[in-house]
Amino acid sequence: MDKDPKEVLAELGERMVQLEDEAPELSAAFVQMDQAAYVEGELERKYKELIGLAISIYAKCEYCMNIHVKQALAEGASREEILEAAAVAVAFGGSPAMAHLAAVVMKALDAFEE
């Protein structure tokens, strides 16, 4: 977990392109589902990114944590909002979620904040 958040996302992007080449139907279905989930409706996209972040912390997905920190910031979330959403994940996930918040999310915030 000592990887640079930008490197983590670059590696994921490369592997997603490879997966798209090798499993195009799976990739297309995932992209379609993912895009549908993040369409603005009653919830603004910023809040959907914060929900995604909390779930990724609970699920312990380093890739997703980095993506959702970056996207939440891009959608206008503040550092404080991100930490508050992360606190909900910690309330559900306990020590493992807290460790991921400290080790991954804080590093991603530092890397992606402008």
Side-chain angles (χ1 to χ4, degrees):
M1 286 201 203
D2 200 25
K3 293 182 183 177
D4 177 83
K6 293 175 183 178
E7 291 176 10
V8 169
L9 293 188
E11 178 187 347
L12 178 61
E14 291 170 12
R15 295 300 180 179
M16 292 298 287
V17 169
Q18 180 183 3
L19 187 59
E20 185 178 336
D21 290 341
E22 295 182 28
E25 292 170 0
L26 173 63
S27 295
F30 174 78
V31 168
Q32 184 178 10
M33 180 272 309
D34 190 62
Q35 288 175 344
Y38 286 90
V39 169
E40 272 200 38
E42 294 299 314
L43 291 176
E44 295 173 28
R45 184 165 172 147
K46 174 176 92 169
Y47 298 109
K48 292 183 177 193
E49 292 296 343
L50 292 170
I51 292 166
L53 174 60
I55 293 168
S56 68
I57 293 168
Y58 183 78
K60 302 176 211 72
C61 179
E62 181 179 357
Y63 296 102
C64 297
M65 286 180 238
N66 282 292
I67 289 168
H68 291 295
V69 166
K70 183 179 180 183
Q71 290 303 113
L73 289 168
E75 293 296 331
S78 68
R79 186 179 188 98
E80 292 77 17
E81 287 174 314
I82 288 169
L83 292 175
E84 204 168 307
V88 174
V90 171
F92 277 84
S95 295
M98 185 67 163
H100 281 84
L101 167 57
V104 179
V105 174
M106 296 302 290
K107 193 173 196 176
L109 274 168
D110 292 342
F112 296 122
E113 273 185 320
E114 297 179 339

